[in-house]
Amino acid sequence: MNTGITAAGFYADRNIFSIIRGGQQEFLSRWRFIYMQNKSFFFLLVFAVVSILYAQDVDGNWIDQSLYEKILEKKEPVPWIKRACIFIDQQHHEFYDGRSWLLKDIYTDDRSQLIFVIGIENNEWERKIICTFIDNDTVFFEGDLKGTGIPYGKENLLYRISGPAKIPIQNAVLNDSRVRLRVKPNLSCDTWGFLNKGDKVKIKDKSEEPFIIDGESWYWYKVETDDYPDGWVYGKYLDIEEGNEGKADKGAQAF
């Protein structure tokens, strides 16, 4: 008796599974058809979402390409660097390029392009800047910017060298000398320069995963210094005031 019930239940379950599986296949087929018929729409939708995400992350200090390349070439401290930047702060409506402009508005237009409206306080004069992202830290400006002194055009790329912290800021001190301050959290990228033992930094971001070098596993940390653009330091070389002391949670050491 029990065997009959089990068999009946098995076949019933198998039939239900077949129906569900058939429904899933039909659903996926319909979506594939919709996608093939509306490829351009899907691409525009993805572009719009990416543009909106970038628009929320435009604050910080930006420098032009020639200065960016010069700093990478020299690899020397540049304590004046932030005075040579374009600074954008949406919260306080600031747009600074050596002169203080009022950031009157920032929005995404119907072509998913980011638009800044800058002007002068208590004055009707204003200019629109069309901001196009190459990646999250590279942009170029277009618009009616003649005579403003603001670099514009596809040939005048701007690079973000400092931005808002992505994690709660922590203070740290270098525990070794000639430590590379890297542009990206990896060993194959370029370096801004070198930090030395006793240098104080502020931690603003952390790699998602630890990175193994010479059998040791540590996180990369993005740090702010007084004399360089923001860059990445391997956790082994940082003594952090609070938190996990830079180590990959101690348990993430290489085995």
Side-chain angles (χ1 to χ4, degrees):
M1 179 67 71
N2 288 341
T3 304
I5 292 172
T6 304
F10 169 76
Y11 285 114
D13 288 345
R14 189 175 69 174
N15 288 336
I16 290 170
F17 176 74
S18 298
I19 292 169
I20 293 172
R21 185 172 60 182
Q24 289 176 331
Q25 289 174 342
E26 182 180 355
F27 175 79
L28 291 173
S29 296
R30 287 177 180 274
W31 270 101
R32 274 196 294 267
F33 174 78
I34 293 171
Y35 170 74
M36 295 303 292
Q37 295 296 314
N38 299 274
K39 275 186 177 180
S40 59
F41 168 76
F42 278 94
F43 288 137
L44 285 173
L45 180 62
V46 171
F47 181 76
V49 171
V50 170
S51 296
I52 290 170
L53 290 174
Y54 280 161
Q56 296 171 347
D57 188 28
V58 74
D59 288 354
N61 293 284
W62 301 79
I63 58 174
D64 64 43
Q65 187 166 358
S66 61
L67 187 53
Y68 181 88
E69 291 173 350
K70 184 177 180 181
I71 295 171
L72 284 177
E73 180 186 355
K74 296 276 187 184
K75 301 192 188 310
E76 296 174 351
V78 280
W80 45 265
I81 184 62
K82 289 179 182 175
R83 296 195 301 273
C85 290
I86 290 176
F87 173 70
I88 301 171
D89 183 346
Q90 296 178 69
Q91 182 180 354
H92 297 97
H93 308 287
E94 291 183 42
F95 187 101
Y96 178 84
D97 71 329
R99 294 161 296 178
S100 292
W101 304 95
L102 177 65
L103 183 56
K104 292 185 173 182
D105 197 6
I106 180 169
Y107 61 91
T108 305
D109 68 6
D110 56 3
R111 293 183 296 167
S112 299
Q113 290 181 299
L114 187 64
I115 309 295
F116 301 125
V117 181
I118 63 169
I120 302 171
E121 196 167 359
N122 300 321
N123 193 304
E124 293 183 1
W125 183 94
E126 63 182 34
R127 289 285 187 276
K128 286 185 180 180
I129 300 175
I130 303 168
C131 179
T132 301
F133 280 86
I134 305 300
D135 59 39
N136 195 44
D137 293 313
T138 312
V139 302
F140 64 86
F141 292 159
E142 293 178 298
D144 183 18
L145 296 174
K146 260 190 174 178
T148 63
I150 298 171
Y152 63 95
K154 295 179 180 179
E155 68 281 5
N156 291 312
L157 296 180
L158 295 168
Y159 297 84
R160 176 160 35 198
I161 62 163
S162 182
K166 301 292 180 64
I167 60 174
I169 290 178
Q170 291 178 280
N171 295 319
V173 179
L174 273 291
N175 58 31
D176 204 349
S177 292
R178 294 290 292 174
V179 175
R180 292 178 183 273
L181 181 65
R182 297 183 179 274
V183 176
K184 302 288 183 183
N186 59 63
L187 295 177
S188 59
C189 69
D190 211 332
T191 60
W192 292 118
F194 299 90
L195 301 176
N196 293 305
K197 189 172 183 177
D199 286 351
K200 296 180 180 181
V201 299
K202 292 185 183 296
I203 294 174
K204 301 170 72 175
D205 200 2
K206 173 183 173 182
S207 62
E208 292 184 3
E209 300 291 338
F211 192 87
I212 298 174
I213 301 177
D214 295 333
E216 296 189 68
S217 183
W218 300 74
Y219 287 99
W220 288 98
Y221 289 89
K222 192 171 192 178
V223 303
E224 178 183 298
T225 72
D226 290 333
D227 297 334
Y228 289 103
D230 290 356
W232 294 84
V233 173
Y234 195 51
K236 176 180 180 178
Y237 304 110
L238 291 173
D239 291 333
I240 302 173
E241 280 188 3
E242 298 175 1
N244 63 6
E245 281 80 43
K247 216 152 195 174
D249 293 335
K250 311 249 183 192
Q253 291 291 304
F255 293 101

